[in-house]
Amino acid sequence: MSFMSRRHLMFAATGIAAVAAAPRLVFAQAAAPAPAAATGPFTLPPLTYPTNAFEPHIDAKTMEIHHDRHHAAYVANLNNVAKTNPQLGTAKIEDVLGNLNALDDSIKFTVRNNLGGHANHTMFWEIMGPNGGKPEGEVLAAIDRDLGGMEKFQNEFNAAGGRQFGSGWVFVTVTKDGKLAIETRPNQDNPIMDGKRALMGNDVWEHAYYLNYQNRRADYLKAWWNTVNWTKIAERYAAAKAGTLGV
C-alpha cells in the first residue's frame, strides 16, 4: 500500500471515529424544516406569548419547534386531506373526532393522528401562559373534591404522565356536571374520541421536552406546572359545565 493510500485511510478512519463519538444530543436537536403552509380550512393558532415566556422551564427553541413545526405539520397534513375530503373543513373538530368510524378507511388513520394532534395542541397552547396564577373558585373546589387536593393531584398527574409508554398525553377530563378525572392517551388521541372533554393536559411526546430534559420526563412534568394558566383553565371549566367546551 502506498504512503498516500495509508494516509487517506488514516484520515477516513479518524473521520468515522469522530462521527461515532459525537454526542447524540446534536442529532436529537436537529429538526426537519418547517412544513410548507398548505392552504385550506385548518389554521395554526398563533401563540399569545413569546416563545421564551416559560424559560427556564421550557426553552424558547423547544417552543418554536413544537409550535412552528410539529403543530404546523398536523395542520398542513389536514389541509392536504381536506382537498379531497372538504367535509372535514366544515364539520366541528369535536364532531369528527367523536365519530371517527364514520370516516372512510383511507383517511381515518391520518385524520385520527393529525386532527387529534391539532386538537391536543390547540388546547395545550391555550392552557399555558406566563403569570398563570393559582387555581381558585370552582376549579379548586373540584380538584379538592375529585382529585384529593392540589398536592395529590399534581403527584398523580405527574405519575400518570411518567407511566405513559412512548408518546402520548396525560389529561384531566371534565364532565358536564364538573367532575374531574386523570387519564392518559397514546399518540395524539384525545378524550373527545370517547365522548369526553379535556379540561387540561400535558404533552409527553419527546418533542415537548427533549432539548432540555433529554430522557428526564419526570423533571419536565414537574417543571411544566410553572407554565399553567389557571385563568384559562377556569374558563374551560365553566364552558364544560355550560356544555360549550370544544377542543
PDB file of all heavy atoms in Angstrom, residues 57-83:
ATOM      1  N   HIS A  57     -38.117  26.838  32.392  1.00  0.00           N
ATOM      2  CA  HIS A  57     -38.873  25.587  32.497  1.00  0.00           C
ATOM      3  C   HIS A  57     -39.047  24.917  31.136  1.00  0.00           C
ATOM      4  O   HIS A  57     -38.913  23.700  31.004  1.00  0.00           O
ATOM      5  CB  HIS A  57     -40.233  25.862  33.147  1.00  0.00           C
ATOM      6  CG  HIS A  57     -40.128  26.682  34.384  1.00  0.00           C
ATOM      7  ND1 HIS A  57     -39.505  26.228  35.518  1.00  0.00           N
ATOM      8  CD2 HIS A  57     -40.539  27.958  34.665  1.00  0.00           C
ATOM      9  CE1 HIS A  57     -39.551  27.178  36.447  1.00  0.00           C
ATOM     10  NE2 HIS A  57     -40.157  28.229  35.949  1.00  0.00           N
ATOM     11  N   ILE A  58     -39.365  25.707  30.121  1.00  0.00           N
ATOM     12  CA  ILE A  58     -39.401  25.239  28.734  1.00  0.00           C
ATOM     13  C   ILE A  58     -38.663  26.284  27.907  1.00  0.00           C
ATOM     14  O   ILE A  58     -39.016  27.470  27.940  1.00  0.00           O
ATOM     15  CB  ILE A  58     -40.838  25.068  28.210  1.00  0.00           C
ATOM     16  CG1 ILE A  58     -41.615  24.068  29.078  1.00  0.00           C
ATOM     17  CG2 ILE A  58     -40.822  24.594  26.763  1.00  0.00           C
ATOM     18  CD1 ILE A  58     -43.059  23.886  28.660  1.00  0.00           C
ATOM     19  N   ASP A  59     -37.646  25.857  27.186  1.00  0.00           N
ATOM     20  CA  ASP A  59     -36.809  26.802  26.457  1.00  0.00           C
ATOM     21  C   ASP A  59     -37.485  27.289  25.179  1.00  0.00           C
ATOM     22  O   ASP A  59     -38.384  26.633  24.639  1.00  0.00           O
ATOM     23  CB  ASP A  59     -35.468  26.166  26.117  1.00  0.00           C
ATOM     24  CG  ASP A  59     -35.623  24.948  25.234  1.00  0.00           C
ATOM     25  OD1 ASP A  59     -36.050  23.887  25.741  1.00  0.00           O
ATOM     26  OD2 ASP A  59     -35.343  25.049  24.032  1.00  0.00           O
ATOM     27  N   ALA A  60     -37.040  28.426  24.710  1.00  0.00           N
ATOM     28  CA  ALA A  60     -37.635  29.060  23.540  1.00  0.00           C
ATOM     29  C   ALA A  60     -37.505  28.192  22.293  1.00  0.00           C
ATOM     30  O   ALA A  60     -38.437  28.135  21.477  1.00  0.00           O
ATOM     31  CB  ALA A  60     -36.982  30.425  23.296  1.00  0.00           C
ATOM     32  N   LYS A  61     -36.375  27.499  22.131  1.00  0.00           N
ATOM     33  CA  LYS A  61     -36.182  26.688  20.932  1.00  0.00           C
ATOM     34  C   LYS A  61     -37.175  25.539  20.892  1.00  0.00           C
ATOM     35  O   LYS A  61     -37.740  25.224  19.836  1.00  0.00           O
ATOM     36  CB  LYS A  61     -34.749  26.143  20.883  1.00  0.00           C
ATOM     37  CG  LYS A  61     -34.386  25.515  19.542  1.00  0.00           C
ATOM     38  CD  LYS A  61     -34.420  26.563  18.431  1.00  0.00           C
ATOM     39  CE  LYS A  61     -33.963  25.994  17.109  1.00  0.00           C
ATOM     40  NZ  LYS A  61     -34.049  27.012  16.030  1.00  0.00           N
ATOM     41  N   THR A  62     -37.410  24.905  22.042  1.00  0.00           N
ATOM     42  CA  THR A  62     -38.399  23.833  22.094  1.00  0.00           C
ATOM     43  C   THR A  62     -39.779  24.358  21.738  1.00  0.00           C
ATOM     44  O   THR A  62     -40.518  23.732  20.968  1.00  0.00           O
ATOM     45  CB  THR A  62     -38.422  23.184  23.489  1.00  0.00           C
ATOM     46  OG1 THR A  62     -37.189  22.491  23.710  1.00  0.00           O
ATOM     47  CG2 THR A  62     -39.570  22.200  23.631  1.00  0.00           C
ATOM     48  N   MET A  63     -40.146  25.509  22.283  1.00  0.00           N
ATOM     49  CA  MET A  63     -41.462  26.088  21.986  1.00  0.00           C
ATOM     50  C   MET A  63     -41.586  26.399  20.497  1.00  0.00           C
ATOM     51  O   MET A  63     -42.622  26.131  19.879  1.00  0.00           O
ATOM     52  CB  MET A  63     -41.674  27.360  22.810  1.00  0.00           C
ATOM     53  CG  MET A  63     -41.897  27.128  24.296  1.00  0.00           C
ATOM     54  SD  MET A  63     -43.465  26.274  24.643  1.00  0.00           S
ATOM     55  CE  MET A  63     -44.645  27.498  24.088  1.00  0.00           C
ATOM     56  N   GLU A  64     -40.519  26.939  19.919  1.00  0.00           N
ATOM     57  CA  GLU A  64     -40.545  27.289  18.498  1.00  0.00           C
ATOM     58  C   GLU A  64     -40.733  26.050  17.634  1.00  0.00           C
ATOM     59  O   GLU A  64     -41.591  26.012  16.738  1.00  0.00           O
ATOM     60  CB  GLU A  64     -39.245  27.997  18.124  1.00  0.00           C
ATOM     61  CG  GLU A  64     -39.126  28.328  16.653  1.00  0.00           C
ATOM     62  CD  GLU A  64     -37.743  28.813  16.277  1.00  0.00           C
ATOM     63  OE1 GLU A  64     -37.018  29.316  17.157  1.00  0.00           O
ATOM     64  OE2 GLU A  64     -37.366  28.662  15.093  1.00  0.00           O
ATOM     65  N   ILE A  65     -39.936  25.021  17.893  1.00  0.00           N
ATOM     66  CA  ILE A  65     -40.032  23.792  17.098  1.00  0.00           C
ATOM     67  C   ILE A  65     -41.372  23.112  17.320  1.00  0.00           C
ATOM     68  O   ILE A  65     -42.016  22.635  16.367  1.00  0.00           O
ATOM     69  CB  ILE A  65     -38.866  22.843  17.440  1.00  0.00           C
ATOM     70  CG1 ILE A  65     -37.542  23.457  16.990  1.00  0.00           C
ATOM     71  CG2 ILE A  65     -39.062  21.477  16.792  1.00  0.00           C
ATOM     72  CD1 ILE A  65     -36.312  22.688  17.444  1.00  0.00           C
ATOM     73  N   HIS A  66     -41.798  23.068  18.570  1.00  0.00           N
ATOM     74  CA  HIS A  66     -43.049  22.390  18.916  1.00  0.00           C
ATOM     75  C   HIS A  66     -44.237  23.026  18.203  1.00  0.00           C
ATOM     76  O   HIS A  66     -45.075  22.338  17.600  1.00  0.00           O
ATOM     77  CB  HIS A  66     -43.239  22.454  20.431  1.00  0.00           C
ATOM     78  CG  HIS A  66     -44.210  21.465  20.980  1.00  0.00           C
ATOM     79  ND1 HIS A  66     -44.351  21.236  22.331  1.00  0.00           N
ATOM     80  CD2 HIS A  66     -45.108  20.643  20.386  1.00  0.00           C
ATOM     81  CE1 HIS A  66     -45.274  20.309  22.534  1.00  0.00           C
ATOM     82  NE2 HIS A  66     -45.755  19.952  21.358  1.00  0.00           N
ATOM     83  N   HIS A  67     -44.314  24.341  18.254  1.00  0.00           N
ATOM     84  CA  HIS A  67     -45.447  25.044  17.655  1.00  0.00           C
ATOM     85  C   HIS A  67     -45.292  25.201  16.145  1.00  0.00           C
ATOM     86  O   HIS A  67     -46.180  24.819  15.372  1.00  0.00           O
ATOM     87  CB  HIS A  67     -45.600  26.420  18.305  1.00  0.00           C
ATOM     88  CG  HIS A  67     -46.693  27.261  17.717  1.00  0.00           C
ATOM     89  ND1 HIS A  67     -46.472  28.136  16.663  1.00  0.00           N
ATOM     90  CD2 HIS A  67     -48.019  27.354  18.016  1.00  0.00           C
ATOM     91  CE1 HIS A  67     -47.600  28.740  16.355  1.00  0.00           C
ATOM     92  NE2 HIS A  67     -48.561  28.290  17.150  1.00  0.00           N
ATOM     93  N   ASP A  68     -44.156  25.749  15.713  1.00  0.00           N
ATOM     94  CA  ASP A  68     -43.995  26.145  14.311  1.00  0.00           C
ATOM     95  C   ASP A  68     -43.733  24.974  13.367  1.00  0.00           C
ATOM     96  O   ASP A  68     -43.908  25.123  12.156  1.00  0.00           O
ATOM     97  CB  ASP A  68     -42.834  27.139  14.177  1.00  0.00           C
ATOM     98  CG  ASP A  68     -43.097  28.443  14.907  1.00  0.00           C
ATOM     99  OD1 ASP A  68     -44.208  28.625  15.436  1.00  0.00           O
ATOM    100  OD2 ASP A  68     -42.171  29.277  14.971  1.00  0.00           O
ATOM    101  N   ARG A  69     -43.315  23.831  13.912  1.00  0.00           N
ATOM    102  CA  ARG A  69     -43.010  22.692  13.047  1.00  0.00           C
ATOM    103  C   ARG A  69     -43.924  21.498  13.326  1.00  0.00           C
ATOM    104  O   ARG A  69     -44.581  20.999  12.421  1.00  0.00           O
ATOM    105  CB  ARG A  69     -41.538  22.309  13.191  1.00  0.00           C
ATOM    106  CG  ARG A  69     -40.612  23.481  12.849  1.00  0.00           C
ATOM    107  CD  ARG A  69     -39.174  23.070  12.753  1.00  0.00           C
ATOM    108  NE  ARG A  69     -38.295  24.235  12.645  1.00  0.00           N
ATOM    109  CZ  ARG A  69     -36.992  24.173  12.403  1.00  0.00           C
ATOM    110  NH1 ARG A  69     -36.411  22.998  12.254  1.00  0.00           N
ATOM    111  NH2 ARG A  69     -36.263  25.265  12.334  1.00  0.00           N
ATOM    112  N   HIS A  70     -43.969  21.051  14.570  1.00  0.00           N
ATOM    113  CA  HIS A  70     -44.790  19.877  14.854  1.00  0.00           C
ATOM    114  C   HIS A  70     -46.284  20.168  14.692  1.00  0.00           C
ATOM    115  O   HIS A  70     -46.984  19.462  13.953  1.00  0.00           O
ATOM    116  CB  HIS A  70     -44.497  19.360  16.264  1.00  0.00           C
ATOM    117  CG  HIS A  70     -43.167  18.689  16.385  1.00  0.00           C
ATOM    118  ND1 HIS A  70     -42.929  17.415  15.934  1.00  0.00           N
ATOM    119  CD2 HIS A  70     -41.985  19.132  16.895  1.00  0.00           C
ATOM    120  CE1 HIS A  70     -41.671  17.089  16.165  1.00  0.00           C
ATOM    121  NE2 HIS A  70     -41.073  18.124  16.739  1.00  0.00           N
ATOM    122  N   HIS A  71     -46.777  21.201  15.372  1.00  0.00           N
ATOM    123  CA  HIS A  71     -48.200  21.515  15.242  1.00  0.00           C
ATOM    124  C   HIS A  71     -48.516  21.947  13.817  1.00  0.00           C
ATOM    125  O   HIS A  71     -49.533  21.560  13.238  1.00  0.00           O
ATOM    126  CB  HIS A  71     -48.606  22.591  16.243  1.00  0.00           C
ATOM    127  CG  HIS A  71     -50.086  22.790  16.348  1.00  0.00           C
ATOM    128  ND1 HIS A  71     -50.668  23.638  17.273  1.00  0.00           N
ATOM    129  CD2 HIS A  71     -51.133  22.267  15.633  1.00  0.00           C
ATOM    130  CE1 HIS A  71     -51.981  23.612  17.128  1.00  0.00           C
ATOM    131  NE2 HIS A  71     -52.282  22.802  16.137  1.00  0.00           N
ATOM    132  N   ALA A  72     -47.626  22.738  13.235  1.00  0.00           N
ATOM    133  CA  ALA A  72     -47.855  23.187  11.853  1.00  0.00           C
ATOM    134  C   ALA A  72     -47.943  22.004  10.893  1.00  0.00           C
ATOM    135  O   ALA A  72     -48.696  22.050   9.907  1.00  0.00           O
ATOM    136  CB  ALA A  72     -46.751  24.139  11.422  1.00  0.00           C
ATOM    137  N   ALA A  73     -47.196  20.941  11.166  1.00  0.00           N
ATOM    138  CA  ALA A  73     -47.245  19.770  10.289  1.00  0.00           C
ATOM    139  C   ALA A  73     -48.610  19.095  10.347  1.00  0.00           C
ATOM    140  O   ALA A  73     -49.129  18.635   9.323  1.00  0.00           O
ATOM    141  CB  ALA A  73     -46.154  18.779  10.683  1.00  0.00           C
ATOM    142  N   TYR A  74     -49.225  19.038  11.538  1.00  0.00           N
ATOM    143  CA  TYR A  74     -50.567  18.456  11.639  1.00  0.00           C
ATOM    144  C   TYR A  74     -51.561  19.273  10.809  1.00  0.00           C
ATOM    145  O   TYR A  74     -52.415  18.719  10.115  1.00  0.00           O
ATOM    146  CB  TYR A  74     -51.028  18.423  13.106  1.00  0.00           C
ATOM    147  CG  TYR A  74     -50.125  17.640  14.018  1.00  0.00           C
ATOM    148  CD1 TYR A  74     -49.754  18.149  15.263  1.00  0.00           C
ATOM    149  CD2 TYR A  74     -49.634  16.387  13.652  1.00  0.00           C
ATOM    150  CE1 TYR A  74     -48.933  17.438  16.102  1.00  0.00           C
ATOM    151  CE2 TYR A  74     -48.805  15.676  14.499  1.00  0.00           C
ATOM    152  CZ  TYR A  74     -48.451  16.207  15.728  1.00  0.00           C
ATOM    153  OH  TYR A  74     -47.623  15.501  16.564  1.00  0.00           O
ATOM    154  N   VAL A  75     -51.433  20.583  10.902  1.00  0.00           N
ATOM    155  CA  VAL A  75     -52.340  21.463  10.159  1.00  0.00           C
ATOM    156  C   VAL A  75     -52.147  21.290   8.657  1.00  0.00           C
ATOM    157  O   VAL A  75     -53.118  21.187   7.896  1.00  0.00           O
ATOM    158  CB  VAL A  75     -52.123  22.933  10.583  1.00  0.00           C
ATOM    159  CG1 VAL A  75     -52.904  23.887   9.675  1.00  0.00           C
ATOM    160  CG2 VAL A  75     -52.522  23.135  12.041  1.00  0.00           C
ATOM    161  N   ALA A  76     -50.890  21.244   8.218  1.00  0.00           N
ATOM    162  CA  ALA A  76     -50.609  21.068   6.791  1.00  0.00           C
ATOM    163  C   ALA A  76     -51.159  19.733   6.290  1.00  0.00           C
ATOM    164  O   ALA A  76     -51.751  19.658   5.203  1.00  0.00           O
ATOM    165  CB  ALA A  76     -49.101  21.157   6.543  1.00  0.00           C
ATOM    166  N   ASN A  77     -50.984  18.679   7.070  1.00  0.00           N
ATOM    167  CA  ASN A  77     -51.495  17.364   6.682  1.00  0.00           C
ATOM    168  C   ASN A  77     -53.021  17.369   6.578  1.00  0.00           C
ATOM    169  O   ASN A  77     -53.604  16.766   5.666  1.00  0.00           O
ATOM    170  CB  ASN A  77     -51.040  16.307   7.675  1.00  0.00           C
ATOM    171  CG  ASN A  77     -49.552  16.025   7.592  1.00  0.00           C
ATOM    172  OD1 ASN A  77     -48.921  16.287   6.570  1.00  0.00           O
ATOM    173  ND2 ASN A  77     -48.980  15.493   8.664  1.00  0.00           N
ATOM    174  N   LEU A  78     -53.668  18.036   7.524  1.00  0.00           N
ATOM    175  CA  LEU A  78     -55.132  18.112   7.484  1.00  0.00           C
ATOM    176  C   LEU A  78     -55.616  18.858   6.255  1.00  0.00           C
ATOM    177  O   LEU A  78     -56.594  18.451   5.611  1.00  0.00           O
ATOM    178  CB  LEU A  78     -55.646  18.801   8.748  1.00  0.00           C
ATOM    179  CG  LEU A  78     -55.566  18.001  10.042  1.00  0.00           C
ATOM    180  CD1 LEU A  78     -55.858  18.897  11.240  1.00  0.00           C
ATOM    181  CD2 LEU A  78     -56.530  16.815  10.013  1.00  0.00           C
ATOM    182  N   ASN A  79     -54.958  19.948   5.910  1.00  0.00           N
ATOM    183  CA  ASN A  79     -55.373  20.710   4.736  1.00  0.00           C
ATOM    184  C   ASN A  79     -55.167  19.920   3.451  1.00  0.00           C
ATOM    185  O   ASN A  79     -55.947  20.036   2.503  1.00  0.00           O
ATOM    186  CB  ASN A  79     -54.620  22.044   4.685  1.00  0.00           C
ATOM    187  CG  ASN A  79     -55.194  23.054   5.658  1.00  0.00           C
ATOM    188  OD1 ASN A  79     -56.389  23.034   5.950  1.00  0.00           O
ATOM    189  ND2 ASN A  79     -54.352  23.931   6.182  1.00  0.00           N
ATOM    190  N   ASN A  80     -54.144  19.093   3.431  1.00  0.00           N
ATOM    191  CA  ASN A  80     -53.946  18.229   2.259  1.00  0.00           C
ATOM    192  C   ASN A  80     -55.070  17.205   2.140  1.00  0.00           C
ATOM    193  O   ASN A  80     -55.578  16.950   1.043  1.00  0.00           O
ATOM    194  CB  ASN A  80     -52.588  17.527   2.362  1.00  0.00           C
ATOM    195  CG  ASN A  80     -51.431  18.435   1.988  1.00  0.00           C
ATOM    196  OD1 ASN A  80     -51.580  19.330   1.167  1.00  0.00           O
ATOM    197  ND2 ASN A  80     -50.279  18.208   2.602  1.00  0.00           N
ATOM    198  N   VAL A  81     -55.472  16.612   3.255  1.00  0.00           N
ATOM    199  CA  VAL A  81     -56.568  15.642   3.230  1.00  0.00           C
ATOM    200  C   VAL A  81     -57.885  16.330   2.861  1.00  0.00           C
ATOM    201  O   VAL A  81     -58.719  15.767   2.144  1.00  0.00           O
ATOM    202  CB  VAL A  81     -56.695  14.932   4.591  1.00  0.00           C
ATOM    203  CG1 VAL A  81     -57.910  14.007   4.614  1.00  0.00           C
ATOM    204  CG2 VAL A  81     -55.441  14.131   4.896  1.00  0.00           C
ATOM    205  N   ALA A  82     -58.053  17.556   3.350  1.00  0.00           N
ATOM    206  CA  ALA A  82     -59.301  18.282   3.101  1.00  0.00           C
ATOM    207  C   ALA A  82     -59.488  18.651   1.631  1.00  0.00           C
ATOM    208  O   ALA A  82     -60.612  18.933   1.199  1.00  0.00           O
ATOM    209  CB  ALA A  82     -59.354  19.543   3.963  1.00  0.00           C
ATOM    210  N   LYS A  83     -58.411  18.627   0.854  1.00  0.00           N
ATOM    211  CA  LYS A  83     -58.544  18.940  -0.572  1.00  0.00           C
ATOM    212  C   LYS A  83     -59.480  17.955  -1.269  1.00  0.00           C
ATOM    213  O   LYS A  83     -60.217  18.319  -2.180  1.00  0.00           O
ATOM    214  CB  LYS A  83     -57.163  18.916  -1.239  1.00  0.00           C
ATOM    215  CG  LYS A  83     -56.249  20.058  -0.827  1.00  0.00           C
ATOM    216  CD  LYS A  83     -54.876  19.907  -1.480  1.00  0.00           C
ATOM    217  CE  LYS A  83     -53.933  21.025  -1.041  1.00  0.00           C
ATOM    218  NZ  LYS A  83     -52.569  20.840  -1.634  1.00  0.00           N
TER     219      LYS A  83
END
